[in-house]
Amino acid sequence: MGVRSRVWLLVCLIAVMLLTSGCWSRKELNSLSIAQGIGIDLEDNQYVLTVQIVNPGSFVKQQESMNTSIVVYSAKGATLNEAVRRLSASVARKIFFAHIRIVVFSERVAKQGIAKPLDFLMRDNEIRSDFNVVIARDSTAKEVLSVLTPLEKIPSNYLFNALEVANKEWSHVVSVKMDEVANNILGEGMDPVLSGVRILGDKTKGKETANLQLSAPSVKFEHAGIGVLKKDKLVGWLDENESRGYSLLTDRVQRTALHIPCPSGGKLGIDISHVHTQMRSKVTNNNPEIWVDSSVKGNISSVECQIDLSDLATIEKINEQVSAAEKSLMELSIQKAISLGTDIFGFGIAVHRADPKFWKKNKSNWDERFEQMPIHIEVVTSMSNTGTIGKSPVTEKEE
């Protein structure tokens, strides 16, 4: 065998060795505790880290009725890293954070600032950034992660999926991932928001499997508004109408519903099927202005009054009413943000894009400039469908 042949043989052997070394960093499932949710509270000036861990025994049919699907562990630490290490000693397995679905901050942590906890979550290369971040209202993060939920065996999956569905179908709810929060804190021109979660019912009973055996669970979750942050600190909450205005302004609305009054009394139900909002800015004589243009498409979903939907003038009137209602919600949300002194809509980003030099000079006092800035809103609505029937049974009955 020649020298050249030997060299090629050596190269091939090395290549084979490299290709067959893929299991060097494997992790056996029976040596891991898979975490699905993280809760962060404050107690005695220390972090209380709560981890919701999957209980594999609950997925064995013979044991399904005896075990809960999750186990919740907590530990204190001056830092979150210290709390994780202390927690590992009681769990007896390495905690695996790669499958986190939800991170819950208590209101106390959110008011003090979430930058430090976020730093820990972002710095760990095992933790991905595709999970939802929420704030627990009127309870601790540990209490939220301890509630057993119907439909989903893993409560963290339930919370994640509930937020994702509500974000698509109901404009009062937002689904916010960790990387979005971090980008808004680190960036300029837009402050972050987080969804709030509240426990309905007796919190202690939510930990019991009996809660899952009722057709109407006595303990459940509800959406509790949108938390407004100034940089990394919670400064207030948007109610349902203000939350909807926020979603409209930030182009988050996918589907939602509203109702408007009929001229003769009663209500008209509207299903909003599409919303697209654009924002632009212009700086004239050192004074910034914002223009918001929103197009709304919808369908008439219910008629509870006497109205002639075959008349084009009637449809045009409905379009005007919907536009006015949506514009009012946007203005309501802007006023709330101004009162809290925080730009959660990205107006600063629009101004920066329009005039970088102006932004550089004024970004340090943007909250004051934002309060006095003219904001022009235009909403154009078009009803594309009135349903599968013409005359309403309500009209027929009243006639």
Side-chain angles (χ1 to χ4, degrees):
M1 183 181 290
V3 175
R4 182 174 293 179
S5 299
R6 290 177 180 177
V7 171
W8 277 109
L9 179 61
L10 181 61
V11 170
C12 291
L13 288 172
I14 292 172
V16 170
M17 290 172 64
L18 291 173
L19 291 171
T20 56
S21 62
C23 296
W24 67 273
S25 62
R26 73 185 188 276
K27 295 180 175 67
E28 300 293 343
L29 283 176
N30 58 7
S31 67
L32 299 174
S33 291
I34 299 175
Q36 291 271 275
I38 293 175
I40 302 173
D41 294 294
L42 273 175
E43 189 177 303
D44 301 326
N45 293 321
Q46 287 190 313
Y47 288 111
V48 179
L49 178 72
T50 300
V51 180
Q52 187 183 97
I53 294 174
V54 176
N55 179 11
S58 68
F59 293 91
V60 179
K61 284 190 174 180
Q62 291 85 345
Q63 299 178 355
E64 193 168 3
S65 61
M66 296 184 291
N67 296 330
T68 59
S69 56
I70 52 107
V71 183
V72 175
Y73 291 94
S74 294
K76 280 186 185 181
T79 66
L80 287 175
N81 182 59
E82 183 181 307
V84 169
R85 302 304 170 212
R86 184 168 285 129
L87 193 62
S88 299
S90 59
V91 175
R93 289 184 181 183
K94 175 177 169 43
I95 303 174
F96 191 54
F97 289 104
H99 297 290
I100 293 296
R101 302 293 273 169
I102 197 91
V103 168
V104 185
F105 292 113
S106 69
E107 274 194 89
R108 186 180 174 190
V109 171
K111 287 176 180 177
Q112 179 171 297
I114 63 172
K116 292 178 182 177
L118 277 181
D119 179 87
F120 169 77
L121 295 171
M122 294 169 64
R123 202 170 293 278
D124 192 325
N125 61 2
E126 187 179 89
I127 300 177
R128 299 182 300 188
S129 61
D130 59 348
F131 52 80
N132 275 311
V133 185
V134 298
I135 299 174
R137 295 195 71 176
D138 307 320
S139 66
T140 63
K142 180 179 180 180
E143 288 170 332
V144 168
L145 290 181
S146 299
V147 173
L148 299 175
T149 54
L151 302 180
E152 286 281 357
K153 280 194 169 187
I154 310 298
S156 291
N157 281 341
Y158 178 92
L159 282 168
F160 178 89
N161 293 332
L163 281 169
E164 292 297 301
V165 171
N167 183 63
K168 292 177 182 177
E169 299 292 333
W170 190 236
S171 60
H172 306 76
V173 181
V174 294
S175 169
V176 184
K177 305 293 192 297
M178 183 185 75
D179 50 2
E180 181 183 347
V181 180
N183 288 340
N184 287 338
I185 291 175
L186 295 171
E188 298 176 344
M190 187 173 186
D191 286 308
V193 300
L194 292 175
S195 273
V197 174
R198 180 183 286 116
I199 301 172
L200 289 181
D202 188 338
K203 299 168 188 175
T204 58
K205 291 184 178 179
K207 305 175 185 179
E208 302 171 0
T209 54
N211 189 52
L212 305 178
Q213 297 169 351
L214 301 171
S215 59
S218 58
V219 184
K220 55 187 177 181
F221 294 114
E222 75 165 359
H223 177 254
I226 294 178
V228 175
L229 282 73
K230 189 169 185 176
K231 280 301 180 182
D232 71 317
K233 293 180 173 62
L234 178 69
V235 292
W237 291 91
L238 302 183
D239 64 21
E240 192 170 90
N241 289 330
E242 294 160 350
S243 296
R244 179 172 181 145
Y246 166 80
S247 294
L248 288 164
L249 282 161
T250 54
D251 198 30
R252 288 176 175 267
V253 178
Q254 298 182 52
R255 284 174 57 89
T256 190
L258 79 158
H259 67 269
I260 57 174
C262 294
S264 59
K267 295 186 290 290
L268 201 65
I270 307 293
D271 182 50
I272 303 298
S273 57
H274 177 78
V275 177
H276 180 56
T277 302
Q278 291 181 308
M279 189 183 298
R280 56 190 173 87
S281 176
K282 187 177 180 181
V283 180
T284 307
N285 298 325
N286 208 39
N287 294 310
E289 293 184 63
I290 292 286
W291 283 265
V292 177
D293 299 306
S294 185
S295 62
V296 178
K297 292 183 180 179
N299 307 310
I300 295 173
S301 57
S302 65
V303 177
E304 300 180 11
C305 60
Q306 287 188 333
I307 193 167
D308 183 6
L309 297 178
S310 63
D311 187 352
L312 291 179
T314 299
I315 298 298
E316 185 58 35
K317 180 63 176 177
I318 292 171
N319 289 335
E320 291 174 2
Q321 284 181 273
V322 172
S323 295
E326 300 290 58
K327 181 179 179 180
S328 176
L329 292 171
M330 292 186 194
E331 291 171 340
L332 197 64
S333 186
I334 291 170
Q335 289 306 312
K336 184 59 173 287
I338 289 174
S339 70
L340 295 173
T342 177
D343 177 6
I344 55 176
F345 311 106
F347 293 147
I349 294 174
V351 171
H352 185 192
R353 192 184 300 121
D355 193 332
K357 290 182 179 179
F358 172 85
W359 175 255
K360 188 175 181 179
K361 291 179 182 178
N362 293 274
K363 63 181 181 180
S364 59
N365 65 335
W366 177 241
D367 292 337
E368 290 75 17
R369 297 301 299 257
F370 162 56
E371 292 179 7
Q372 303 165 2
M373 181 176 60
I375 301 170
H376 313 283
I377 300 174
E378 183 176 358
V379 182
V380 178
T381 301
S382 60
M383 290 294 114
S384 57
N385 199 333
T386 59
T388 58
I389 61 173
K391 202 171 185 180
S392 170
V394 175
T395 304
E396 184 71 24
K397 179 182 176 182
E398 290 181 356
E399 288 179 349

